[in-house]
């Protein structure tokens, strides 16, 4: 069996499961974000007075953090009151950050666990060896009532990534390259596992980027076998957990091999995530806004790279650079290391940790005719504001370099060979 | 029960931001969501869609976010069903859970032209194109999902089981 199948087998109380089986699994973490008041309405309709286990339910007030409208404020208020009335202690309020980052920081994203959140990017938790998947409101309400959900055991696709990433090229470039080659629906209904020497060499933050973006090719969940460094991180934060490993000789539904030894920085151009070209081929596209933030590109390493590129320089006139740390913990570390001071001095705009303008609701939405280069994950028409705006999805390094240049720009033009490596090392070590 | 209606055609990769833009997500009122259904794909859609009309789209319909507001907006706008070459996973699950009929058929998605009138049989998965006199077959649902749908969606299914003391 695959490690993911072993997780589902254990969670469903079976010795063995196979792709195509439909199993009822016990959920270890059930997360609700502030877009989903519907969960509470549906839970009440089911008619169960109490949630099955308040210690396994968490709320994330992150998509509208802090509340920009009276309606979103009222939704958050109702969630807080529900949590209190049900004895749910896990309320990650507007002062904490994006759900996937704060769940990990809180030690609740653990190897071998089943993590279900009302957010498509729940695939991120595969970087910690969990089975993470996103659902809608009705599914989550049913979990609140019963602690269980149904799952079709997915086939697993293997993405074997080989080669040493060139200087200035990161996990974000790798995953954009893969999605560009295979399309935005290659993994629909399936699980993906990332393997190979490139992946093994990646720190947790980069592994999270690969797993986070798996949903952009349709995946139900993603997985990377946790290494010693990942397990040490989890042990420093979490209670007990069990690490599963894939049996030798496991037959994947398909295997894709990528050699990234010569990969260049990549960008997904409007208006789909599989519309990917090398940044250099994007032309000198004028950029009005850059965003470094979100569950995809708002970690300490991402802010560190931006700081290294912008240190002592200024964001181009007519361009805005938004820095939105994925969590308050990340923000505090970035302050400690001086990155925030460097970025503010360079003319960046700092906003409160949370999802920010990724989904076009607040904190930096786009006007018609504007172009944004972003470290987030989506460039659908209208995603970040006006449907007449353009969104370019790229690595944090590309975002920072483009903000500096004022046009879409290969970050290698701005990176000395030493600074990039040093800053990354700093970030990873902390 | 068979469904019968006029079709509106969309392309590949219609995402949930096009189906219901995030700027409307702070409400969960179906009637309010219906007013903005498919707005970012076709701004006139909420005005011109008629009860019983059918959406036809290409591959990966409903990709992107996990928002259940998407199938709710479509259902509340009066759309009778969605036919697509394929569906994104979370949309597929959400649609079944809330009782929006969906038909996965690359053949139908290709052959049906906008304005064609189609008749759909959710029980058998057949899509009959009345305008062209053609019939296409959608992928059948697994038995478990048929049971869910027969129970009236996930909420009814769970409520029933909770009542019986199981889960």
């Amino acid at each position: 069996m695959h490690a993911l199948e072993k997780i589902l087998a254990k969670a469903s109380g079976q010795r063995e499961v196979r792709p195509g089986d439909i199993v009822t699994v016990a959920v270890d973490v059930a997360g609700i974000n502030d877009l989903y008041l519907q969960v509470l309405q549906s839970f009440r309709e089911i008619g169960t007075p109490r949630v099955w286990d308040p210690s396994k339910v968490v709320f994330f007030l992150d998509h509208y953090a802090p509340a920009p409208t009276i309606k979103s404020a009222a939704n958050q208020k109702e969630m807080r009151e529900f949590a209190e009335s049900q004895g749910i202690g896990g309320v990650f309020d507007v002062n904490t950050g994006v759900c996937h980052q704060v769940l990990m920081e809180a030690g609740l994203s653990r190897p071998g666990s089943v993590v279900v959140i009302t957010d498509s990017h729940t695939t991120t938790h595969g970087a910690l060896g969990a089975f993470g998947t996103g659902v809608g409101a009705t599914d989550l309400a049913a979990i609140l009532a019963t602690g269980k959900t149904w799952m079709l055991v997915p086939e697993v696709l293997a993405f074997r990534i080989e080669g040493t990433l060139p200087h200035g090229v990161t996990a974000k470039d790798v995953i954009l390259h893969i999605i560009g080659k295979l399309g935005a629906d290659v993994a629909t209904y399936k699980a993906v596992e990332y393997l190979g020497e490139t992946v093994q060499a990646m720190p947790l933050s980069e592994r999270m980027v690969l797993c986070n973006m798996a949903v952009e090719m349709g995946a139900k969940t993603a997985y990377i076998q946790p290494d010693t460094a990942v397990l040490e991180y989890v042990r420093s934060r979490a209670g007990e957990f069990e690490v599963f490993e894939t049996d030798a000789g496991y037959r994947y539904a398909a295997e894709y091999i990528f050699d990234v030894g010569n990969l260049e920085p990549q960008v997904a151009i409007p208006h789909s995530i599989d519309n990917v070209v090398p940044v250099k081929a994007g032309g000198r596209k004028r950029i009005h806004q850059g965003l470094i933030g979100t569950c995809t590109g708002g970690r300490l390493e991402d802010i560190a790279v931006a700081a290294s590129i912008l240190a002592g320089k200024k964001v181009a006139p007519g361009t805005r650079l938004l820095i939105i740390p994925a969590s308050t913990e990340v923000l505090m570390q970035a302050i400690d290391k001086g990155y925030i001071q460097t970025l503010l001095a360079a003319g960046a705009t700092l906003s409160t940790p949370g999802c920010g303008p990724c989904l076009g609701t607040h904190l930096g939405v786009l006007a018609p005719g504007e172009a944004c280069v972003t470290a987030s994950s989506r460039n659908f028409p209208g995603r970040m504001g006006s449907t007449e705006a353009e969104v370019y999805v790229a690595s944090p390094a590309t975002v920072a370099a483009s903000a500096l240049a004022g046009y879409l720009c290969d970050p290698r033009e701005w990176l000395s060979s030493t600074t990039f490596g040093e800053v990354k090392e700093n970030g990873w070590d902390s | 029960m068979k469904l019968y209606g006029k079709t509106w055609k969309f392309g590949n990769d219609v995402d949930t931001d096009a189906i219901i833009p995030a700027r409307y997500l702070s409400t969960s009122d179906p009637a309010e969501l219906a007013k903005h259904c498919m707005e970012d794909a076709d701004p006139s859609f909420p005005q011109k869609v008629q009860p019983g009309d059918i959406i036809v789209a290409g591959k990966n319909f409903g990709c992107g976010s996990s928002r259940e507001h998407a199938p709710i907006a479509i259902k509340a706008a009066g759309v009778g069903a969605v036919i697509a070459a394929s569906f994104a996973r979370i949309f597929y699950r959400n649609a079944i859970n809330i009782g929006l009929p969906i038909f996965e058929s690359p053949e139908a998605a290709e052959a049906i032209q906008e304005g064609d009138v189609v008749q759909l049989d959710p029980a058998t998965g057949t899509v009959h194109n009345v305008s062209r006199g053609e019939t296409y077959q959608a992928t059948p649902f697994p038995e478990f999902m048929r049971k869910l749908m027969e129970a009236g969606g996930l909420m009814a299914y769970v409520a029933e089981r909770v009542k019986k003391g199981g889960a």
Side-chain angles (χ1 to χ4, degrees):
Chain A
M1 282 193 288
H2 191 275
L4 289 168
E5 292 164 8
K6 291 181 183 178
I7 295 172
L8 293 186
K10 185 187 175 204
S12 62
Q14 307 203 39
R15 290 176 62 124
E16 195 176 2
V17 300
R18 292 164 191 276
D21 290 354
I22 292 180
V23 293
T24 301
V25 299
V27 173
D28 296 302
V29 176
I32 304 149
N33 68 39
D34 53 350
L35 293 178
Y36 283 84
L37 191 63
Q38 180 67 44
V39 174
L40 307 190
Q41 293 162 354
S42 299
F43 174 73
R44 289 188 192 108
E45 275 178 52
I46 290 172
T48 322
R50 309 295 298 178
V51 301
W52 102 100
D53 183 347
S55 71
K56 292 184 174 173
V57 180
V58 287
F59 282 90
F60 305 103
L61 310 185
D62 56 355
H63 284 63
Y64 292 112
T69 62
I70 295 168
K71 179 70 185 154
S72 53
N75 291 354
Q76 292 178 348
K77 177 169 177 274
E78 190 170 338
M79 287 183 169
R80 291 185 192 107
E81 288 167 356
F82 178 87
E84 191 178 353
S85 72
Q86 292 279 340
I88 295 165
V91 177
F92 294 95
D93 216 308
V94 298
N95 61 339
T96 55
V98 186
C99 54
H100 307 301
Q101 183 71 17
V102 300
L103 194 75
M104 178 190 74
E105 290 171 355
L108 293 171
S109 175
R110 301 172 190 182
S113 63
V114 176
V115 177
V116 182
I117 304 176
T118 56
D119 191 280
S120 58
H121 289 112
T122 308
T123 54
T124 309
H125 303 282
L128 295 115
F131 189 107
T133 195
V135 296
T138 303
D139 273 316
L140 211 290
I143 294 170
L144 289 188
T146 66
K148 292 174 183 162
T149 192
W150 65 271
M151 295 243 186
L152 181 72
V153 178
E155 294 183 322
V156 187
L157 305 179
F159 291 78
R160 195 172 290 280
I161 308 169
E162 305 288 356
T164 303
L165 282 175
H167 171 63
V169 181
T170 62
K172 185 65 170 291
D173 301 299
V174 172
I175 191 65
L176 286 173
H177 174 66
I178 291 174
I179 297 171
K181 289 286 175 215
L182 298 178
D185 63 345
V186 64
T188 301
Y189 312 135
K190 299 186 172 75
V192 303
E193 179 181 3
Y194 302 101
L195 304 143
E197 61 178 8
T198 319
V199 181
Q200 284 164 12
M202 284 180 181
L204 178 56
S205 58
E206 294 276 276
R207 293 170 178 227
M208 289 176 84
V209 174
L210 296 183
C211 291
N212 175 280
M213 294 282 288
V215 74
E216 308 310 331
M217 47 183 159
K220 175 179 203 145
T221 193
Y223 193 76
I224 298 174
Q225 190 63 41
D227 67 355
T228 313
V230 171
L231 293 178
E232 270 174 24
Y233 178 89
V234 180
R235 275 192 202 102
S236 73
R237 308 226 168 196
E240 285 181 13
F241 57 86
E242 183 176 0
V243 182
F244 292 93
E245 288 191 31
T246 301
D247 294 330
Y250 177 79
R251 288 177 68 90
Y252 291 90
E255 184 161 345
Y256 302 90
I257 299 171
F258 293 88
D259 184 343
V260 295
N262 294 312
L263 190 68
E264 295 183 78
Q266 306 282 305
V267 58
I269 63 176
H271 288 289
S272 72
I273 199 67
D274 54 5
N275 198 5
V276 176
V277 297
V279 174
K280 274 200 304 201
R284 288 167 68 100
K285 172 70 197 173
R286 168 97 164 81
I287 293 295
H288 302 87
Q289 178 168 295
L291 168 63
I292 290 175
T294 78
C295 60
T296 314
R299 280 176 267 281
L300 186 65
E301 295 78 357
D302 307 322
I303 294 168
V305 166
S308 82
I309 291 173
L310 284 156
K313 303 191 179 77
K314 288 278 180 197
V315 170
T319 301
R320 327 178 274 279
L321 175 62
L322 309 182
I323 306 291
I324 308 184
S327 71
T328 297
E329 182 177 316
V330 169
L331 173 58
M332 289 168 68
Q333 290 170 346
I335 289 171
D336 265 358
K337 289 181 173 293
Y339 303 151
I340 297 298
Q341 187 77 8
T342 299
L343 290 164
L344 292 178
T349 305
L350 179 70
S351 279
T352 184
C355 301
C358 171
L359 69 163
T361 49
H362 67 155
L363 294 174
V365 300
L366 300 173
E370 287 194 322
C372 176
V373 58
T374 178
S376 61
S377 59
R378 290 187 176 144
N379 62 348
F380 304 132
R383 173 72 183 179
M384 294 182 70
S386 169
T387 51
E388 292 161 52
E390 293 185 320
V391 179
Y392 294 77
V393 176
S395 76
T398 299
V399 173
S402 303
L404 187 55
Y407 55 86
L408 195 61
C409 177
D410 189 321
R412 293 172 301 178
E413 293 175 28
W414 298 96
L415 284 166
S416 76
S417 58
T418 49
T419 51
F420 190 65
E422 276 169 12
V423 171
K424 277 213 294 192
E425 221 166 77
N426 271 342
W428 297 347
D429 285 343
S430 62
Chain B
M1 188 195 75
K2 290 190 177 177
L3 301 156
Y4 185 88
K6 187 163 73 88
T7 54
W8 297 97
K9 203 154 178 192
F10 294 86
N12 292 329
D13 302 311
V14 173
D15 59 84
T16 54
D17 284 273
I19 298 169
I20 185 72
R23 55 188 177 275
Y24 306 120
L25 294 186
S26 60
T27 181
S28 45
D29 174 14
E32 192 58 37
L33 293 170
K35 286 185 202 162
H36 306 288
C37 175
M38 305 299 282
E39 181 178 288
D40 279 3
D42 176 357
S44 62
F45 188 78
Q47 284 76 51
K48 65 191 186 191
V49 65
Q50 297 294 315
D53 284 359
I54 310 281
I55 287 176
V56 180
K59 67 180 177 67
N60 206 20
F61 185 85
C63 61
S65 98
S66 55
R67 65 191 68 156
E68 195 163 304
H69 310 67
I72 290 174
I74 291 173
K75 191 179 177 192
V79 171
V82 181
I83 301 167
S86 66
F87 290 91
R89 175 196 151 256
I90 305 177
F91 183 92
Y92 180 97
R93 197 170 166 123
N94 285 342
I96 293 170
N97 284 345
I98 67 148
L100 171 68
I102 53 174
F103 293 76
E104 192 166 76
S105 168
E107 189 192 2
E110 172 89 32
I112 296 168
Q113 297 303 311
E114 181 155 296
D116 285 359
V117 172
V118 296
Q119 185 174 339
L120 310 173
D121 186 344
T124 61
T126 51
V127 176
H128 179 59
N129 189 331
V130 178
S131 303
R132 291 171 198 277
E134 297 171 350
T135 300
Y136 327 104
Q137 183 62 44
T139 316
F141 289 103
E143 192 191 336
F144 174 78
M145 289 180 218
R146 282 206 303 274
K147 270 192 209 158
L148 267 188
M149 289 184 277
E150 280 162 20
L154 182 66
M155 300 254 295
Y157 179 83
V158 170
E160 186 62 29
R161 291 174 71 94
V162 166
K163 218 180 290 170
K164 283 183 189 160

